Amino acid sequence: MRVVCAPTLILISVTICCSLTEKLSNGSSPNIIIMLMDDMGWGDLGVLGQPSKETPNLDAMAAQGILLTNFYTANPLCSPSRAALLTGRLPVRNGFYTTNAHARNAYTPQEIVGGISKDEILLPEMLKKNGYISKIVGKWHLGHRPQYLPLEHGFDEWFGSPNCHFGPYNSSVRPNIPVYNNSEMIGRYFEDFKIDLRTGESNLTRMYLMEGLDFIRRQTEAKQPFFLYWAADATHSPVYASKSFLGKSQRGRYGDAVMELDYSVGQILSLLQKLGIEKNTFVFFTSDNGAALMSGPQESGSNGPFLCGKETTFEGGMREPAIAWWPGHIKGGAVSLQPANVMDLFTTSLALAGISPPDDRTLDGLDLTPVLLNGSHQLDNRPIFFYRGNEMMAVRLGQYKAHYWTWSNSLEELKEGINFCPGQEVPGVTTHDQKEHTLQPLIFHLGRDPGEKYPLSVLSKEYEEVLRSVSAVVQQHQKTLVPGMPQLNMCDLAVMNWSPPGCEKLGKCLKPPTSAPWKCNWPH
């Protein structure tokens, strides 16, 4: 196995980034659209083998662009992965993790006290340097208190919600989640923005589509470069779709949601072409983590051939569908085996915009433009780290993945019916206690064994050679890692969405309880 050492890899990525930044800065800055789905699995797209073939627009997007089959999220849960995308940094660096217990997934429910740190630089803040106007449509999930909201961190516009669309709630115990237009709430889920839990009907995806289309039109008319972060969440339980899509899919309600999202992607790409800006607009489609198999089969997707799903650091939890589309720049019908992740979108977007990345912090994202535009193989051996909370669980290098820790979820949760790996138990791999393998990692060849079922024999020469290479990468990573201040440790019922900005105008302010903070309990 050919391995590039970490210092050499960093030098290569910096050199590529600088040369491309200089080159692209001489031309016009392309518009950037990142479409981030919620709990959509690798196996949910027809182009990736879903047998119902119900994603014609995404399949066409892949045929016209490039399909990245080895693309990963930075964490198997929503909030940390979104923080990683927008900062270009691992959650353990940007603070979106917890130290309340070992290797626990944490996110931003209503009672969370923290959010994205003011010390982090988000992608829209950087893009402002070249005059970009930025909008987020959909789910934010980086903190719901006023100081953490999108317009405080570089976005110019927002239509969506700070939290998941859970509910409905009794307002005296827990408030329903607010929906924002820019800096003020305009209503709440289940009260003003309906989600019918019985039928699955909701017009939210249609609203998100209209908001995205309107933003594109306005910025095009203004001749303004734009960044659209389109973060629709219909595939997160409770899944929903508008009336015209309900009952259409062979896959049930989850499939209905996927079909509407696929339609929406098609409408966005079609508008770019109608406006004549498709050759000046880079579009990237992916998901925040693997399909939530614990919600299946009615409300979860497919992770294809991969092991387990959301919440785990097995392939099913972190390998994502990914398509890049940019007519005239990206060769259509290409398939890239390049290992890549959501943090690369930060650095890649900056390169496309002709902006140098911040040099006062460690970035984990690499510039993918050589791969996307030129089919370069220079980054083939870059490592992919798999974190769960404060622990590095695994690392991928080339075709090999080494597990230093394994854990699905506890036996107690399993007995309660919470199963992250339904029908996929692999003895010694999908362990129900936190099993350490630091001295003798479990190593899989993902080309021969994408389902992580057959670890290499520790007595084989192949294992010995791979371990030597992987160990050097892990040692370098751990030696230089400086964890950020954890933002997801404290909870308090008093900080929930009782009185969001704008509630006075609507008569929807609620009285909070007395503050009584506690350390959040993260069971898995």
Side-chain angles (χ1 to χ4, degrees), residues 245-504:
F245 286 89
L246 286 174
K248 299 295 185 183
S249 172
Q250 297 180 53
R251 306 178 64 195
R253 190 179 297 176
Y254 179 88
D256 296 339
V258 172
M259 289 182 73
E260 184 168 15
L261 291 168
D262 174 78
Y263 169 81
S264 300
V265 170
Q267 290 296 298
I268 291 172
L269 299 185
S270 177
L271 178 62
L272 297 176
Q273 293 168 327
K274 287 177 182 176
L275 294 174
I277 61 170
E278 75 277 12
K279 293 184 178 180
N280 194 42
T281 306
F282 173 80
V283 185
F284 199 96
F285 174 94
T286 189
S287 179
D288 64 346
N289 47 249
L293 301 185
M294 77 289 279
S295 300
Q298 300 299 323
E299 299 221 328
S300 79
S302 167
N303 294 315
F306 303 120
L307 184 62
C308 301
K310 178 180 179 177
E311 303 275 5
T312 78
T313 50
F314 301 111
E315 290 293 289
M318 293 184 62
R319 199 187 296 207
E320 309 303 327
I323 304 169
W325 183 91
W326 192 10
H329 300 270
I330 291 175
K331 183 181 179 181
V335 176
S336 174
L337 303 180
Q338 170 66 53
N341 62 48
V342 294
M343 296 173 289
D344 298 338
L345 297 180
F346 178 92
T347 315
T348 302
S349 296
L350 294 183
L352 292 173
I355 300 170
S356 297
D359 59 4
D360 62 343
R361 63 200 59 218
T362 299
L363 294 178
D364 296 290
L366 299 182
D367 175 13
L368 294 179
T369 53
V371 176
L372 301 176
L373 305 183
N374 303 317
S376 169
H377 294 277
Q378 286 180 297
L379 307 179
D380 281 359
N381 281 295
R382 63 84 59 89
I384 301 289
F385 297 101
F386 297 73
Y387 270 83
R388 186 163 172 169
N390 59 350
E391 184 61 70
M392 191 205 76
M393 305 288 282
V395 61
R396 174 175 176 172
L397 190 64
Q399 287 275 50
Y400 296 93
K401 182 176 177 183
H403 288 267
Y404 286 76
W405 288 83
T406 53
W407 190 35
S408 55
N409 63 326
S410 68
L411 280 173
E412 290 76 15
E413 283 193 325
L414 192 65
K415 292 174 182 176
E416 295 172 3
I418 302 172
N419 191 349
F420 297 160
C421 310
Q424 291 185 300
E425 295 288 340
V426 180
V429 179
T430 56
T431 54
H432 291 288
D433 57 346
Q434 294 187 0
K435 183 74 172 176
E436 185 174 8
H437 308 278
T438 303
L439 297 179
Q440 199 171 74
L442 298 179
I443 299 179
F444 298 89
H445 186 288
L446 295 176
R448 299 192 299 259
D449 178 24
E452 297 172 287
K453 293 178 174 62
Y454 308 103
L456 302 182
S457 168
V458 298
L459 301 178
S460 68
K461 183 178 180 181
E462 182 181 17
Y463 181 94
E464 180 182 332
E465 291 177 350
V466 173
L467 180 60
R468 186 181 304 114
S469 301
V470 170
S471 295
V473 169
V474 171
Q475 288 170 11
Q476 175 68 15
H477 173 70
Q478 293 177 334
K479 178 182 177 182
T480 58
L481 178 67
V482 179
M485 182 69 69
Q487 301 296 313
L488 306 181
N489 280 349
M490 299 305 297
C491 287
D492 189 344
L493 296 180
V495 305
M496 293 197 293
N497 292 289
W498 300 104
S499 299
C503 67
E504 302 89 349

Side-chain angles (χ1 to χ4, degrees), residues 59 126 172 208 213 293 395 400 501 506 508:
D59 298 348
M126 293 295 298
S172 63
Y208 292 156
L213 296 177
L293 301 185
V395 61
Y400 296 93
L506 304 174
K508 287 186 172 289

Side-chain angles (χ1 to χ4, degrees), residues 134-140 150-151 155-163 178-189 192-193 203-215 218 228-233 240:
S134 299
K135 178 163 187 163
I136 169 175
V137 174
K139 178 174 164 183
W140 171 238
L151 270 61
F155 282 99
D156 300 289
E157 299 182 20
W158 177 32
F159 182 88
S161 174
N163 305 92
V179 174
Y180 280 75
N181 184 32
N182 296 327
S183 58
E184 294 188 346
M185 71 172 284
I186 53 174
R188 295 182 186 269
Y189 285 142
D192 313 281
F193 294 86
N203 290 328
L204 282 166
T205 299
R206 182 182 299 171
M207 294 180 191
Y208 292 156
L209 172 60
M210 293 300 105
E211 286 288 330
L213 296 177
D214 174 70
F215 177 71
R218 286 189 286 111
L228 173 61
Y229 176 41
W230 199 74
D233 65 352
Y240 61 80

